Coordinates of all heavy atoms in Angstrom, one line a residue:
G197 N -44.7 31.8 8.3 CA -43.5 32.0 7.5 C -43.7 32.4 6.1 O -42.7 32.8 5.4
E198 N -44.9 32.4 5.6 CA -45.2 32.8 4.2 C -45.6 34.2 4.2 O -46.5 34.7 4.9 CB -46.3 31.9 3.6 CG -46.6 32.2 2.2 CD -47.6 31.3 1.5 OE1 -48.4 30.7 2.3 OE2 -47.6 31.1 0.3
E199 N -44.9 35.0 3.3 CA -45.2 36.4 3.3 C -46.4 36.7 2.4 O -46.5 36.3 1.2 CB -44.0 37.1 2.7 CG -42.7 37.0 3.6 CD -41.4 37.4 2.9 OE1 -41.4 37.6 1.7 OE2 -40.4 37.4 3.6
I200 N -47.4 37.4 2.9 CA -48.7 37.6 2.3 C -48.8 39.0 1.6 O -49.1 39.2 0.5 CB -49.9 37.4 3.3 CG1 -49.7 36.1 4.0 CG2 -51.2 37.5 2.5 CD1 -49.7 34.9 3.2
Y201 N -48.5 40.0 2.4 CA -48.5 41.4 1.9 C -47.7 42.3 2.9 O -47.5 42.0 4.0 CB -49.9 42.0 1.8 CG -50.8 41.9 3.0 CD1 -50.7 42.9 4.0 CD2 -51.8 40.9 3.2 CE1 -51.5 42.8 5.2 CE2 -52.6 40.9 4.3 CZ -52.4 41.8 5.3 OH -53.2 41.8 6.4
S202 N -47.3 43.4 2.3 CA -46.7 44.5 3.2 C -47.8 45.6 3.3 O -48.6 45.8 2.4 CB -45.4 45.0 2.7 OG -45.6 45.6 1.3
V203 N -47.8 46.3 4.4 CA -48.9 47.2 4.7 C -48.3 48.5 5.4 O -47.4 48.4 6.2 CB -50.0 46.6 5.5 CG1 -49.5 46.0 6.8 CG2 -51.1 47.6 5.8
G204 N -48.8 49.6 5.0 CA -48.4 50.9 5.6 C -49.6 51.7 6.0 O -50.7 51.6 5.4
L205 N -49.5 52.4 7.1 CA -50.6 53.2 7.7 C -50.2 54.7 7.6 O -49.2 55.1 8.1 CB -50.8 52.8 9.2 CG -51.8 53.6 10.0 CD1 -53.2 53.4 9.4 CD2 -51.8 53.2 11.5
Y206 N -51.1 55.4 7.0 CA -51.0 56.9 6.9 C -52.0 57.6 7.7 O -53.2 57.3 7.6 CB -51.1 57.3 5.4 CG -49.9 56.9 4.5 CD1 -49.9 55.6 3.9 CD2 -48.8 57.7 4.3 CE1 -48.9 55.2 3.1 CE2 -47.8 57.3 3.5 CZ -47.8 56.0 2.9 OH -46.7 55.6 2.1
L207 N -51.6 58.6 8.5 CA -52.5 59.3 9.4 C -52.2 60.8 9.3 O -51.2 61.2 8.8 CB -52.2 58.9 10.8 CG -52.5 57.4 11.2 CD1 -52.0 57.1 12.6 CD2 -54.0 57.0 11.0
P208 N -53.1 61.6 9.8 CA -52.9 63.1 9.8 C -51.6 63.5 10.6 O -51.0 64.5 10.3 CB -54.2 63.7 10.4 CG -55.2 62.6 10.2 CD -54.5 61.3 10.3
K209 N -51.3 62.7 11.7 CA -50.1 63.0 12.4 C -49.7 61.6 13.1 O -50.5 60.7 13.2 CB -50.3 64.0 13.5 CG -51.3 63.7 14.5 CD -51.5 64.9 15.5 CE -50.3 65.2 16.3 NZ -50.6 66.2 17.4
K210 N -48.4 61.5 13.4 CA -47.9 60.3 14.0 C -48.4 60.0 15.4 O -48.6 60.9 16.2 CB -46.4 60.3 14.0 CG -45.8 60.0 12.6 CD -44.3 59.7 12.7 CE -43.8 59.2 11.4 NZ -42.4 58.6 11.5
T211 N -48.6 58.7 15.7 CA -49.0 58.3 17.0 C -48.5 56.9 17.2 O -48.3 56.1 16.3 CB -50.5 58.4 17.2 OG1 -50.8 58.0 18.6 CG2 -51.2 57.5 16.3
T212 N -48.3 56.6 18.5 CA -48.0 55.2 18.9 C -49.2 54.5 19.5 O -49.1 53.4 20.0 CB -46.8 55.1 19.9 OG1 -47.1 55.9 21.1 CG2 -45.5 55.7 19.3
R213 N -50.3 55.1 19.5 CA -51.5 54.6 20.2 C -52.6 54.3 19.2 O -53.0 55.1 18.3 CB -52.1 55.6 21.2 CG -51.1 55.9 22.3 CD -51.7 57.0 23.2 NE -53.0 56.6 23.7 CZ -53.3 56.0 24.9 NH1 -52.3 55.8 25.7 NH2 -54.5 55.7 25.3
A214 N -53.2 53.1 19.3 CA -54.3 52.7 18.4 C -55.5 53.6 18.6 O -56.2 53.9 17.6 CB -54.6 51.2 18.6
D215 N -55.9 53.9 19.8 CA -57.1 54.7 20.0 C -56.9 56.1 19.4 O -57.9 56.7 18.9 CB -57.4 54.8 21.5 CG -56.3 55.3 22.4 OD1 -55.2 55.4 21.9 OD2 -56.5 55.5 23.6
T216 N -55.7 56.7 19.5 CA -55.4 58.0 18.9 C -55.5 57.9 17.3 O -56.1 58.8 16.7 CB -54.1 58.5 19.3 OG1 -54.0 58.6 20.7 CG2 -53.8 59.9 18.7
A217 N -55.0 56.8 16.8 CA -55.1 56.6 15.3 C -56.6 56.6 14.9 O -56.9 57.1 13.8 CB -54.5 55.3 14.9
K218 N -57.5 56.1 15.7 CA -58.9 56.1 15.4 C -59.5 57.5 15.6 O -60.4 58.0 14.8 CB -59.7 55.1 16.3 CG -61.2 55.1 16.0 CD -61.9 54.3 17.1 CE -61.6 52.8 17.0 NZ -62.5 52.0 17.9
A219 N -59.1 58.2 16.6 CA -59.7 59.5 17.0 C -59.3 60.7 16.2 O -60.0 61.7 16.2 CB -59.4 59.7 18.5
L220 N -58.1 60.7 15.6 CA -57.6 61.8 14.9 C -58.6 62.3 13.8 O -59.2 61.4 13.1 CB -56.3 61.5 14.2 CG -55.0 61.4 15.1 CD1 -53.8 60.8 14.3 CD2 -54.7 62.7 15.7
L221 N -58.7 63.6 13.7 CA -59.6 64.1 12.7 C -58.9 64.1 11.3 O -57.7 64.3 11.2 CB -60.0 65.6 13.0 CG -60.8 65.8 14.3 CD1 -61.0 67.2 14.5 CD2 -62.1 65.0 14.2
G222 N -59.7 63.9 10.2 CA -59.1 63.9 8.9 C -59.1 62.6 8.2 O -59.6 61.6 8.7
A223 N -58.4 62.6 7.1 CA -58.4 61.4 6.2 C -57.4 60.3 6.8 O -56.7 60.6 7.7 CB -57.9 61.8 4.8
R224 N -57.5 59.1 6.2 CA -56.7 58.0 6.6 C -56.3 57.3 5.3 O -57.0 57.4 4.3 CB -57.4 57.0 7.5 CG -58.0 57.5 8.7 CD -57.0 57.7 9.8 NE -57.7 58.0 11.1 CZ -58.2 59.1 11.4 NH1 -58.3 60.1 10.6 NH2 -58.8 59.3 12.6
R225 N -55.2 56.5 5.3 CA -55.0 55.6 4.2 C -54.2 54.3 4.8 O -53.3 54.5 5.6 CB -54.1 56.2 3.1 CG -53.5 55.2 2.1 CD -52.9 55.9 0.9 NE -54.0 56.4 0.0 CZ -53.8 57.1 -1.1 NH1 -52.5 57.4 -1.4 NH2 -54.8 57.6 -1.8
V226 N -54.7 53.2 4.3 CA -54.0 51.9 4.5 C -53.5 51.5 3.1 O -54.4 51.3 2.3 CB -54.8 50.9 5.2 CG1 -54.1 49.5 5.3 CG2 -55.2 51.3 6.6
T227 N -52.3 51.3 2.9 CA -51.7 50.8 1.6 C -51.2 49.4 1.8 O -50.4 49.1 2.7 CB -50.6 51.7 1.1 OG1 -51.2 53.0 0.8 CG2 -50.0 51.2 -0.1
L228 N -51.6 48.5 0.9 CA -51.1 47.2 0.9 C -50.4 46.9 -0.4 O -50.9 47.2 -1.5 CB -52.2 46.1 1.1 CG -53.0 46.2 2.4 CD1 -54.3 47.0 2.2 CD2 -53.3 44.8 2.9
Y229 N -49.3 46.2 -0.4 CA -48.6 45.6 -1.5 C -48.7 44.1 -1.4 O -48.2 43.5 -0.5 CB -47.2 46.1 -1.6 CG -47.0 47.5 -2.0 CD1 -46.7 48.5 -1.0 CD2 -47.0 47.9 -3.3 CE1 -46.5 49.8 -1.3 CE2 -46.8 49.3 -3.7 CZ -46.5 50.2 -2.7 OH -46.3 51.5 -3.0
I230 N -49.4 43.5 -2.4 CA -49.6 42.1 -2.4 C -48.3 41.3 -2.8 O -47.7 41.7 -3.8 CB -50.8 41.7 -3.3 CG1 -52.0 42.6 -3.0 CG2 -51.1 40.2 -3.2 CD1 -52.6 42.5 -1.6
L231 N -48.0 40.3 -2.0 CA -46.7 39.6 -2.2 C -46.9 38.2 -2.7 O -46.0 37.6 -3.2 CB -45.9 39.6 -0.9 CG -45.5 40.9 -0.3 CD1 -44.8 40.7 1.0 CD2 -44.7 41.7 -1.3
K232 N -48.2 37.7 -2.8 CA -48.5 36.4 -3.3 C -49.9 36.5 -3.9 O -50.7 37.3 -3.5 CB -48.4 35.3 -2.3 CG -49.4 35.4 -1.2 CD -49.5 34.1 -0.4 CE -50.3 33.1 -1.2 NZ -50.5 31.8 -0.5
D233 N -50.2 35.6 -4.9 CA -51.5 35.6 -5.5 C -52.5 35.2 -4.5 O -52.3 34.3 -3.7 CB -51.5 34.6 -6.7 CG -50.6 35.1 -7.9 OD1 -50.1 36.2 -7.8 OD2 -50.4 34.3 -8.8
L234 N -53.7 36.0 -4.5 CA -54.7 35.7 -3.5 C -56.1 35.7 -4.2 O -56.3 36.4 -5.2 CB -54.7 36.9 -2.5 CG -53.5 37.0 -1.6 CD1 -53.6 38.3 -0.8 CD2 -53.3 35.9 -0.7
V235 N -57.0 34.9 -3.7 CA -58.4 34.8 -4.1 C -59.2 35.2 -2.9 O -58.8 35.2 -1.8 CB -58.7 33.4 -4.7 CG1 -57.9 33.1 -5.9 CG2 -58.5 32.4 -3.6
P236 N -60.5 35.5 -3.2 CA -61.4 35.9 -2.0 C -61.4 34.9 -0.9 O -61.5 35.4 0.3 CB -62.8 36.0 -2.7 CG -62.5 36.3 -4.1 CD -61.2 35.6 -4.5
A237 N -61.3 33.6 -1.1 CA -61.3 32.7 0.0 C -60.1 32.8 0.9 O -60.1 32.4 2.0 CB -61.3 31.2 -0.6
D238 N -59.1 33.5 0.4 CA -57.9 33.8 1.2 C -58.1 35.0 2.2 O -57.6 34.9 3.3 CB -56.7 34.1 0.3 CG -56.2 32.9 -0.5 OD1 -56.2 31.8 0.0 OD2 -55.9 33.2 -1.7
F239 N -58.8 36.0 1.8 CA -58.8 37.2 2.6 C -60.2 37.5 3.2 O -60.2 38.3 4.2 CB -58.3 38.4 1.8 CG -58.7 38.6 0.4 CD1 -60.0 39.1 0.1 CD2 -57.9 38.2 -0.6 CE1 -60.4 39.3 -1.2 CE2 -58.3 38.4 -1.9 CZ -59.6 38.9 -2.2
I240 N -61.3 37.0 2.7 CA -62.6 37.3 3.3 C -62.7 36.7 4.7 O -63.1 37.4 5.6 CB -63.8 36.9 2.4 CG1 -63.9 37.8 1.2 CG2 -65.1 36.9 3.2 CD1 -65.0 37.5 0.2

């Protein structure tokens, strides 16, 4: 119930399949907005 971060996935083209997200040629981006203070012990 505690909100940690919001995350967005950017790909060369849209897909509903995880394997396609991996296989697509080109760049990728994962963007996270942190919603609570975090230290390495939280996310490593």
